[in-house]
Amino acid sequence: MHRALSLVALSAAAFVSSAQAQQLPATQLKVVGGLSNLSLYNEFEKPFWTKTIPAASGGKVTADIKGFNDMGLKGPELIRLMSSGVIEFGTSTLAYFAADNPINEAIDLAGLAPDVKTARAVTEAFQPAYEKFYAGSNIKVLGMSTYPAQVLFCNAEIKDLTSIKGKKVRTSSRTQAELIEALGGASVTMAFGEVVPALQNKVVDCAITGSLSGYSAKWYEVSTHLYALPINWNQQIHAVNKKAWDKLNPGVQQLITTEFKTLVNDIWVAAGKQTQEGYDCNTGAAACTQPVKGKMVLVKPTEADHALLKKLLNESVLPKWAARCNAQCVNDFNATVGKVVGLTAKK
């Protein structure tokens, strides 16, 4: 009886969904996605806009999507272009906008989240603050996701976190740079696409990126050691120009909002798995199912490494961030992120 009722309910829901899709107006969207050579874009973003949304709308809502790198953009300019309406829908790494406002670093300070579960809890806790902040720039936040754990790829022997002393390390955010400098290393800023030759030619000794992102970019060809200690996560913001959003049919808005919840959840669930996949495939572990396997040495962090990372977060990274973020920003952090991880930032 219960099974029969469930089938009836599912059929009714499918009928309603189909009927709603038929009522949607034909809508064409333009989307600027993340880095097009990475798994987040190819396995999640692109299929979402080109398959999931069209299917859920009965073909009424379609989208063109290109990675920002394929459009000649560097990343940091994306939010400004979205705010002005040049870009409608877009995805980018929050850390790109740290120079615009330190609030963009709040959820991804180096050493803040040792695992994906904590990273997600921190992100979800602070998302309302981002929604309020970006609303002031004519931007609506649709969701926040993440890349796999950001870890160290080195073309040099490393044994633990203290091995970074004296080494040149490519970093992609201010908070990463402050951690490396606190360890006695030298932070070097360069675009993602420049890292392979830089590692190969010893311009840098190490570089930080997602474990699977580094595999996708073939960093295993120019690196010898992979240090499996999550430095941070490089969370992504998925957003839309508010005026462009307001012009959409309410049914289209609801469809995108609903489907985005599934997309974001899928990316977070995958992030933990992809972090391990990155470790496996860069080092040639049997668990790797990719056709090409790297031969890097996997260096596992010790309890002392975790303790040192937490110490540097408390004594260097967090205080420096709090000093450059305004009082409201710090208060929001303490009321949300701080409660999740048991930290208090002082202004």
Side-chain angles (χ1 to χ4, degrees):
M1 180 66 177
H2 287 296
R3 178 176 172 79
L5 288 173
S6 296
L7 289 173
V8 170
L10 286 171
S11 298
F15 176 79
V16 171
S17 178
S18 176
Q20 289 174 337
Q22 290 176 7
Q23 294 171 7
L24 296 176
T27 306
Q28 177 69 30
L29 307 174
K30 293 183 179 180
V31 184
V32 177
L35 286 165
S36 64
N37 61 330
L38 300 183
S39 61
L40 190 149
Y41 177 88
N42 289 303
E43 295 180 20
F44 295 97
E45 269 197 281
K46 188 175 181 179
F48 174 80
W49 290 110
T50 60
K51 295 180 180 179
T52 302
I53 289 297
S57 65
K60 294 295 184 67
V61 183
T62 56
D64 289 327
I65 179 172
K66 287 185 178 180
F68 70 78
N69 53 312
D70 292 332
M71 299 179 69
L73 301 175
K74 299 293 185 181
E77 70 275 55
L78 191 139
I79 282 291
R80 290 189 288 275
L81 292 173
M82 193 183 302
S83 178
S84 65
V86 174
I87 289 175
E88 295 179 359
F89 289 81
T91 295
S92 193
T93 303
L94 267 176
Y96 286 156
F97 318 125
D100 295 336
N101 193 306
I103 193 174
N104 292 304
E105 302 172 90
I107 60 173
D108 202 30
L109 298 173
L112 185 66
D115 52 58
V116 70
K117 182 179 179 181
T118 305
R120 183 172 188 175
V122 161
T123 302
E124 291 177 348
F126 202 75
Q127 184 169 326
Y130 282 131
E131 291 172 355
K132 182 179 179 181
F133 173 74
Y134 277 107
S137 297
N138 195 37
I139 291 172
K140 176 180 173 59
V141 176
L142 294 171
M144 303 191 73
S145 65
T146 190
Y147 279 114
Q150 304 296 296
V151 295
L152 282 154
F153 287 72
C154 293
N155 190 15
E157 183 180 9
I158 55 170
K159 296 180 179 179
D160 54 30
L161 203 51
T162 63
S163 299
I164 296 304
K165 185 176 182 179
K167 289 184 171 57
K168 294 173 290 184
V169 182
R170 178 265 182 178
T171 58
S172 60
S173 67
R174 186 169 182 173
T175 181
Q176 285 182 0
E178 289 172 346
L179 174 67
I180 295 303
E181 289 162 5
L183 286 165
S187 171
V188 179
T189 301
M190 65 176 62
F192 186 84
E194 298 172 359
V195 175
V196 168
L199 281 167
Q200 190 170 31
N201 298 319
K202 295 287 187 176
V203 174
V204 294
D205 301 297
C206 304
I208 301 174
T209 194
S211 61
L212 191 60
S213 303
Y215 172 79
S216 299
K218 299 182 179 180
W219 285 18
Y220 56 83
E221 293 182 349
V222 292
S223 305
T224 58
H225 289 65
L226 178 63
Y227 185 44
L229 176 69
I231 302 297
N232 61 312
W233 293 84
N234 260 17
Q235 284 94 327
Q236 305 291 292
I237 180 172
H238 305 269
V240 58
N241 173 270
K242 186 64 166 57
K243 290 182 180 178
W245 178 258
D246 289 342
K247 290 179 182 178
L248 294 176
N249 174 275
V252 174
Q253 293 178 342
Q254 183 59 49
L255 174 76
I256 294 172
T257 300
T258 300
E259 295 297 333
F260 237 99
K261 292 177 182 178
T262 301
L263 171 68
V264 168
N265 181 67
D266 288 347
I267 294 174
W268 276 107
V269 170
K273 297 177 182 178
Q274 290 183 339
T275 295
Q276 185 60 49
E277 184 181 3
Y279 295 157
D280 291 340
C281 291
N282 280 300
T283 61
C288 176
T289 58
Q290 298 294 334
V292 179
K293 297 183 180 182
K295 297 180 180 179
M296 296 181 68
V297 175
L298 183 67
V299 181
K300 296 182 179 180
T302 63
E303 288 300 319
D305 289 330
H306 284 289
L308 177 57
L309 183 60
K310 187 174 182 179
K311 180 175 183 289
L312 293 176
L313 168 66
N314 280 301
E315 296 180 0
S316 181
V317 175
L318 184 60
K320 287 182 178 180
W321 171 78
R324 59 180 178 265
C325 215
N326 63 37
Q328 184 61 55
C329 169
V330 172
N331 289 338
D332 287 342
F333 176 92
N334 289 333
T336 56
V337 176
K339 289 184 177 180
V340 172
V341 297
L343 287 175
T344 300
K346 297 179 180 179
K347 188 65 182 168

